[in-house]
Amino acid sequence: MDYYIPACSGKKVNVKKGQRITVTDLEGGQVADFFAVSATEREEFLSPAVTLDCHASLKLNVGDALYTNRYRPMFRIISDDVGAHDLLFPCCRPEMYDFFYRNGDGHPNCFNNMNGTLGEHRSIINPVNLFMYTTVDEKGKITIHPPISKAGDKIVLEALMDVKVGICACSVSESDTNSGKCTPIGLCVE
Ligand SMILES: [Zn+2]
């Protein structure tokens, strides 16, 4: 099944163990916030912090698993055209837009899009930010660069358990996060 996720919006899909999820940056330079909750246990969910702990790395490679808060593998990376994804940043939210740009009121954001599409009320969501290109230097300074993903670049993930997945085309147009503009994301589940 193919889905089109318009700019600044989110989509939920129910995915069975063994199914593959393809997330495509349709126009290039766009981040897709990726989050998932176990289909059977809502307090087990995808955790970028646990994932970087398990790999002792901020970089995801083909063959790596993405882990839950309970240190169980939830997805495996089957292929990846890009090789640059972020494990550090929470979903953008109105308070973030207020903090940096004083424009949070009414601003579309991944936090509300993700909670809304998943039917959740989580107080913070830490997604795997697909295609988001961040670097950390030796002094600890974090820099967000424009994504290196080109139009049509994709990542393929295999679900290792039954999950509900939320994917949001990130709403930040104020910085390099999405190359200064917001564009759609493609999704395929098979
Ligand atoms: Zn966002």
Side-chain angles (χ1 to χ4, degrees), residues 33 91-92 97 109-110 170-172:
D33 287 42
C91 280
C92 64
Y97 290 99
N109 62 87
C110 294
C170 183
S171 305
V172 176

Side-chain angles (χ1 to χ4, degrees), residues 33-74:
D33 287 42
F34 181 90
F35 182 66
V37 181
S38 162
T40 55
E41 171 48 60
R42 72 175 299 277
E43 288 311 318
E44 182 164 19
F45 49 85
L46 179 63
S47 172
V50 170
T51 299
L52 70 85
D53 187 12
C54 291
H55 297 304
S57 176
L58 289 170
K59 186 169 176 5
L60 296 173
N61 296 299
V62 171
D64 284 351
L66 308 182
Y67 289 85
T68 72
N69 56 315
R70 295 181 180 167
Y71 283 76
R72 297 203 302 158
M74 189 176 238

